[in-house]
């Protein structure tokens, strides 16, 4: 028997860890998530924008969040990006991580979210939306699993079933992915798939997090 088994823990271990500290309502909502929809600025990033001499806005993304999203996709979850900014950097990140749907430059977030749900054939109750500011409130009201980062305004946090411990752009997305996968018994199988690169189609190149 290997001294270092893989995955390192059992599905029951991951499930107990994922359930720790969650309300009954959050447990029920996370257990049925099929789609994770993310805002970009303040969720996938820390919210700061860096401008170069040509005025191009640059963003920094967290590699741990990236691996969390790789695991989520390997575990069978669908991924979508919904952001108010028309950002080439966000589009590139979503493409690298093989998101199933991308909506850029959409301040009408409720309508854009409903479009995503329709396109991906997912019921609102089976979706998780993660936001950080007031513009996200209409979208948060649609889904079964509304989530905020700790830096979100109180009016946003109070609308959510779960507020992450980690900050946006610093592990918050990873935290949510691990909660959902763990509760659904998908975390261990996702680790196995990523290790074997079984989640990639023939000829696909992995993102940097899986390289």
């Amino acid at each position: 028997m290997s001294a270092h088994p893989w995955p390192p823990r059992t599905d029951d271990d991951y499930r107990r860890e994922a359930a720790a500290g969650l309300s009954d309502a959050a447990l029920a909502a996370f257990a049925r998530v099929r789609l994770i929809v993310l805002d970009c600025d303040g969720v996938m990033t820390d919210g700061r924008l860096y401008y170069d001499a040509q005025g191009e806005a640059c963003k920094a993304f967290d590699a741990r969040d990236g691996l969390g999203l790789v695991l989520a996709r390997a575990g069978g979850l669908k991924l979508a990006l919904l952001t108010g900014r028309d950002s080439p950097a966000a589009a590139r990140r979503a493409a690298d991580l093989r998101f199933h749907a991308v909506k850029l430059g959409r301040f009408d977030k409720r309508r854009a979210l409903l479009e995503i749900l329709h396109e991906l054939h997912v019921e609102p109750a089976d979706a998780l939306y993660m936001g950080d500011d007031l513009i996200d409130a209409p979208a948060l009201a649609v889904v079964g699993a509304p989530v905020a980062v700790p830096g979100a305004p109180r009016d946003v946090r109070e609308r959510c079933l779960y507020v992450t411990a980690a900050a946006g752009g610093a592990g918050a997305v990873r935290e949510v992915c691990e909660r959902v996968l763990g509760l659904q018994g998908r975390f261990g199988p996702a680790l196995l798939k990523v290790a074997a690169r079984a989640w990639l189609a023939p000829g696909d190149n992995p993102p940097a997090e899986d390289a």
Side-chain angles (χ1 to χ4, degrees), residues 93-138:
R93 185 61 168 161
D96 285 349
L97 293 170
R98 297 169 52 80
F99 275 42
H100 297 84
V102 176
K103 302 288 182 181
L104 303 177
R106 297 294 298 268
F107 283 90
D108 54 337
K109 290 204 169 184
R110 182 181 185 277
R111 178 178 295 180
L113 176 59
L114 292 173
E115 292 172 6
I116 291 171
L117 295 172
H118 177 74
E119 291 166 9
L120 299 182
H121 308 289
V122 175
E123 293 297 320
D126 297 330
L128 180 153
Y129 182 86
M130 190 171 176
D132 77 306
D133 215 334
L134 293 171
I135 191 175
D136 297 303

Side-chain angles (χ1 to χ4, degrees), residues 7-51:
R9 286 180 284 162
T10 68
D11 287 342
D12 285 342
D13 291 333
Y14 291 125
R15 188 176 287 108
R16 282 192 295 271
E17 183 174 293
L22 292 182
S23 67
D24 289 344
L27 284 169
F30 279 27
R32 63 180 294 172
V33 167
R34 294 176 50 221
L35 165 67
I36 295 176
V37 185
L38 303 173
D39 180 28
C40 184
D41 297 325
V43 173
M44 294 180 69
T45 77
D46 64 8
R48 290 182 289 180
L49 299 173
Y50 302 88
Y51 287 88

Side-chain angles (χ1 to χ4, degrees), residues 150-175:
R154 184 179 67 181
D155 287 343
V156 173
R157 299 194 310 272
E158 290 178 346
R159 294 170 183 262
C160 294
L161 290 177
Y162 182 66
V163 177
T164 61
V173 172
R174 174 68 168 269
E175 180 181 327

